Amino acid sequence: MNSPPERSLSRGQAYVLGAAAVPMVAFGGMGAWGTYSNITSVFHRSATALGVVAAGEGATLVLALVLVGLTMLGQSAPAAVRIGLWTLPAVASLTGAAVAKSVTEAVVFAVTPMAMCVSAEGMGLLARRIVVYRTGVDAEAQRRNAAVMQRLAYHRARAANHPDEKARNGSELESWKLAKKVGAGDALLGANLVDVQRERMTTG
């Protein structure tokens, strides 16, 4: 059950993926420019607007680059990075809604920063799929499976050894729920399980 050999992207695939990444970056930049214009129209100070953009879209861009970099290195992103990709644009949206002078402006100001959030998530997902295609290894799926296995081991031990019967029953039920999540989304694990089953069938 060895890892599959690495595959390289064809020239056509590289062109298509590059063309898909360009609008993500462009629309993210347009969202930042829109937030800058919105805040400037309220405070009439470019420094204040730049500060809001830096705290919202700028920080989101930094986290997006961290996410893409870690993904291209075959590593999973920490929870703080994944949460920040949604929290920071949400803070910018709330800021825009709070300083708006009307309900209509509040809606527009709140929606604008989400362009950077979607762009960051799109770039991260694209980078992840490229790595999975080339190496056959999904670090994010492995991280999730490792977390599930850790919780499963804890609840199995708790169900077997905890002195309280109610706690044992609760862990037994939770372990059954966790068992359904083991291996979900891990293509390499699925392929290895197919190989094991194939070998058993051949032996039989």
Side-chain angles (χ1 to χ4, degrees):
M1 296 187 295
N2 297 324
S3 300
E6 288 196 9
R7 296 186 293 182
S8 59
L9 295 173
S10 66
R11 183 173 299 180
Q13 288 174 324
Y15 285 150
V16 171
L17 292 172
V22 169
M24 295 182 190
V25 177
F27 285 118
M30 290 173 62
W33 178 78
T35 300
Y36 173 82
S37 300
N38 294 338
I39 301 301
T40 302
S41 67
V42 175
F43 291 102
H44 306 288
R45 294 194 300 268
S46 60
T48 302
L50 286 174
V52 173
V53 172
E57 283 85 344
T60 304
L61 177 61
V62 171
L63 292 181
L65 294 176
V66 171
L67 175 63
V68 172
L70 291 175
T71 302
M72 298 304 290
L73 292 174
Q75 302 177 19
S76 62
V81 174
R82 300 191 306 273
I83 294 173
L85 284 175
W86 288 94
T87 303
L88 293 176
V91 171
S93 295
L94 292 175
T95 302
V99 302
K101 298 178 181 179
S102 66
V103 176
T104 302
E105 285 187 351
V107 173
V108 174
F109 288 10
V111 170
T112 303
M114 301 311 295
M116 178 59 76
C117 179
V118 176
S119 297
E121 284 289 333
M123 288 188 295
L125 178 60
L126 188 61
R128 176 184 170 190
R129 294 305 182 189
I130 291 174
V131 172
V132 172
Y133 173 82
R134 295 191 67 249
T135 65
V137 177
D138 191 343
E140 196 65 26
Q142 291 180 348
R143 178 194 63 80
R144 290 196 302 267
N145 286 329
V148 170
M149 291 299 298
Q150 184 180 22
R151 292 179 58 196
L152 180 60
Y154 164 76
H155 281 290
R156 292 306 304 166
R158 190 168 182 255
N161 302 312
H162 199 279
D164 185 21
E165 182 180 0
K166 186 176 180 180
R168 291 199 304 270
N169 293 335
S171 287
E172 184 72 25
L173 180 61
E174 185 65 22
S175 65
W176 280 105
K177 294 178 180 179
L178 291 172
K180 296 189 298 184
K181 301 179 181 180
V182 175
D186 193 335
L188 180 58
L189 176 60
N192 289 337
L193 291 176
V194 171
D195 290 339
V196 170
Q197 190 64 27
R198 184 182 294 114
E199 290 177 3
R200 290 179 177 176
M201 292 178 64
T202 301
T203 304

